[in-house]
Every structure is written in C-alpha cells, then in structure tokens.
Amino acid sequence: MKTLLILWLSCALVGLTPGCRAWAGLGRRLALPPQGATSPPASGPLGAIIAPGDSLAERSLLLGKPTFESTNFVNILHWEPIGEVPPDTVYDVEYKTYGDDVWHEKSECQNISARSCDLTRETEIIKERYHAQVRAVVLNCCHSEWVESTRFCPWEQTNIGDLKVNYTPGTRTVKFVIQPPYTPFRDEENHLQTVEDIFNQHGSVEYHITVLRHKKQQVLVHDKKEFELSHLEPGTEYTGTIQMVYLDKKSKPYEFRVRTLSDNTWLSYLFGAAVFMAILICATICYFIYKYIKLHAVKQPRSLGPDPKQQGNAQCHGQRSPPSEELRMLPSAQPSVDVLFP
C-alpha cells in the first residue's frame, strides 16, 4: 500500500500522463478502503495482479509470449499485449544468440509503439539459433517484466514466399520461366540472392508441376526454373499449379491457366500449294505461246525476178519472154541532139 501511495505522489509531482493517471486512480482507490473492510489484492488495468507490498514494475506482466515470423529469411518478431493498454505505452526489444549471457539492444526498436520488430540483420546467420525479449514501458510511470521468445532458427523456420511465373504457349508446348522470391542476402557480386540460391547451397530445390485437363491429372518434377511442357494438344486449355519444394518446405501453390495455340500449319501448306499451282500455270501458258509463235511465223518472200521455170517454158514455145521488171525500171535513153552546122 505504501508503494502505491508513493507512486501516486510521484505522478502528481511530474504530471499525470494517461497511463500514470490510471495507476494513480488505482492508488487512490486502494489507499482509501471502506472502514472495517480489508483490502483484497487488486487487479491492475493491464491484467497485472497487484498485492500490497509488491513492486509494480516487477508484477505488471503486460505481454504475451513474443514469436518470430520468417518468410524468405526476413525475420520479424511479433508480440501482443494482455488486457487494457494505456495509450502512451511503448516497447523495448533485445536479442541474443543462443548460449550467450549478454542481451543486445535493437536500437531501432527502443521506445516504439509498434508491436513488431525486424531482426533480419541481427539473425543473418541462418543456421544459428536466437532468442529475443520484449518489455512494455508506460512513459513516466513504470515498465513490465521482460518476456522472452522461444528459440528461433531461420534455416528451420523460414517459409517460402510466393512464386512469380511467366509462360509462353505454343502449338503443342508451353514454356515456363519461374522467378523464385528474393532474400535480403547478396552474393559476392552484390546481387540479391533468391531462396533457390540459398537452398541449393545445402541441397537441391525441386519444382512440382500439376497439370489438369479433362479431369485428368499429371504430376511432373523439374529441378530447373525453366522448363517446357510438350506433347500437348493444339487449341486446348490447361490448368494446374507450380510449387517450389525443399525438404519439408513448400511454397504456396502458383495457379496457372493457359491455352495452347491453334494448329494453322494447314494454311501454310495451302498457301504453298496455291503459289506452286500459279507458277505452274504461268509457265504452261508461256510455253504454249512460244510454240505458237515459232510454228506460225511469217516466211520471208522469194526474189522478185522471173521464175526460171516459166521463162524456160516460154522459150520452148517460141514466145518472147517479157522483159524483166528490172529492165522496165531502167531509165529511158537520153534524146539525141541534132547539131546544126552553118
């Protein structure tokens, strides 16, 4: 009781914050019990059991057990308060490696109002085991006891995040390219590493593909993130799922729906046949035109002189052969000129 009265007086001197006001009100109620009545142990506003003579800071158990949540080796510590929480309550976080005696403060997670803390950098040795602890602090008033988490190992407890998948359909094939989720770690060339890169250093990652068509299921296993489904039917829709699997870890199934392309190869054959027929017809027409011109070409005329056969027959019958055209075409003789002498 004496402790609560001292707390009430200290709050009055430093100013009443909302959290301290709650404790001060509790102190007044406990300090002035009805006459003739004994004061039973009181229940604090944050679920703490407060008995006369106990230290408030040691008895105020405000938090549930903190837990780690890890996805792709991003390790986040979460916690939840128990009971009513004053509005000015903040939290402190510390961590240590399993087996160490010294706790280390997480500088970014001191006097924070959030109920989570990113401890990825502090737990980056993925096969090591760690502990973390949290306490609640009511400003200008008091704080809770430290509440410790269970043992945490990133390698054993991290989950695989969602996959990204690109696929390209063909006539009878579908090509898949999987992008595994990235981690916070980088390689020697400062490139971000994927979950597959990390797991392949200690084993082998597999991709399980389930393909459904007409209520028929086919399960395939590949160890590469690029693969091709073949021997499919053209113009047909396929559905299925893809999962990354490593030991007992599985990613969330990625669901896909894809339709293969229609088989239009007959159009190519038809077009090729049409072109071939057109060329053949043109060649045939050109050949017959050439033959026609060659066979019916105009013959050159013979000489314009008299036919020797006709001339010989005329001489046999005593007929005088007519002068040739060439003679008739000769120019006439020049007229004689009479010269007169004196």
Side-chain angles (χ1 to χ4, degrees):
M1 186 68 65
K2 184 178 179 180
T3 302
L4 293 177
L5 290 175
I6 295 173
L7 174 64
W8 177 54
L9 292 175
S10 63
C11 287
L13 293 175
V14 300
L16 293 179
T17 63
C20 201
R21 189 180 297 114
W23 294 107
L26 177 62
R28 288 196 302 270
R29 291 196 299 272
L30 294 178
L32 301 173
Q35 292 183 355
T38 59
S39 299
S43 175
L46 299 179
I49 303 300
I50 304 173
D54 287 343
S55 171
L56 182 64
E58 294 178 357
R59 298 293 296 169
S60 299
L61 302 178
L62 309 177
L63 301 175
K65 202 170 189 65
T67 57
F68 276 93
E69 294 183 5
S70 178
T71 302
N72 304 329
F73 297 102
V74 176
N75 309 320
I76 310 296
L77 183 70
H78 294 269
W79 62 89
E80 289 295 333
I82 298 175
E84 183 182 356
V85 180
D88 54 355
T89 300
V90 294
Y91 304 95
D92 297 332
V93 177
E94 293 181 345
Y95 68 94
K96 71 173 183 177
T97 304
Y98 175 70
D100 290 350
D101 296 328
V102 179
W103 289 91
H104 306 280
E105 288 187 353
K106 168 69 173 178
S107 58
E108 294 86 355
C109 296
Q110 301 298 307
N111 295 327
I112 60 173
S113 58
R115 296 171 184 174
S116 63
C117 177
D118 188 349
L119 292 175
T120 300
R121 185 176 59 186
E122 290 72 22
T123 56
E124 62 183 0
I125 303 177
I126 58 178
K127 289 195 174 183
E128 187 60 85
R129 287 169 171 78
Y130 302 91
H131 284 279
Q133 62 180 10
V134 183
R135 72 174 180 180
V137 179
V138 180
L139 296 177
N140 299 323
C141 181
C142 52
H143 60 77
S144 73
E145 291 182 347
W146 289 100
V147 183
E148 187 174 340
S149 70
T150 57
R151 192 182 307 171
F152 170 69
C153 178
W155 177 262
E156 297 174 356
Q157 295 174 243
T158 196
N159 299 312
I160 302 175
D162 296 339
L163 305 177
K164 294 182 179 180
V165 181
N166 295 321
Y167 47 85
T168 305
T171 303
R172 296 183 179 275
T173 61
V174 178
K175 182 178 180 180
F176 289 89
V177 178
I178 301 175
Q179 175 57 64
Y182 287 100
T183 69
F185 307 123
R186 295 182 178 271
D187 58 17
E188 296 178 354
E189 298 179 353
N190 202 33
H191 296 153
L192 282 175
Q193 293 182 297
T194 65
V195 173
E196 181 185 40
D197 297 330
I198 302 298
F199 286 147
N200 280 341
Q201 295 175 6
H202 308 275
S204 179
V205 170
E206 293 180 342
Y207 294 98
H208 292 191
I209 303 96
T210 302
V211 182
L212 299 174
R213 177 183 173 273
H214 299 328
K215 298 182 179 180
K216 294 182 180 180
Q217 179 174 308
Q218 182 182 10
V219 179
L220 305 172
V221 178
H222 290 273
D223 58 358
K224 302 295 183 182
K225 58 187 177 182
E226 296 186 15
F227 56 88
E228 185 177 83
L229 300 181
S230 57
H231 306 294
L232 305 179
E233 296 185 8
T236 304
E237 184 177 78
Y238 293 85
T239 59
T241 60
I242 300 176
Q243 275 187 302
M244 175 189 285
V245 179
Y246 177 77
L247 300 179
D248 59 343
K249 298 181 183 296
K250 294 183 179 181
S251 69
K252 181 180 178 181
Y254 175 88
E255 299 181 357
F256 67 87
R257 181 185 299 270
V258 60
R259 177 181 291 275
T260 54
L261 302 180
S262 300
D263 188 1
N264 296 325
T265 54
W266 63 274
L267 291 176
S268 301
Y269 295 145
L270 181 61
F271 178 76
V275 171
F276 175 76
M277 291 300 297
I279 294 175
L280 182 61
I281 292 173
C282 290
T284 304
I285 293 173
C286 292
Y287 174 76
F288 282 109
I289 291 175
Y290 169 75
K291 294 294 290 184
Y292 178 82
I293 294 175
K294 185 176 180 180
L295 295 175
H296 298 82
V298 180
K299 296 181 179 180
Q300 293 295 329
R302 296 182 178 179
S303 176
L304 297 178
D307 190 354
K309 293 183 178 180
Q310 294 180 359
Q311 187 176 8
N313 293 332
Q315 292 177 357
C316 291
H317 291 85
Q319 296 178 356
R320 186 178 180 182
S321 60
S324 63
E325 285 297 324
E326 294 180 357
L327 296 178
R328 290 200 298 267
M329 295 300 294
L330 292 174
S332 59
Q334 294 292 332
S336 60
V337 179
D338 295 334
V339 180
L340 301 178
F341 296 97

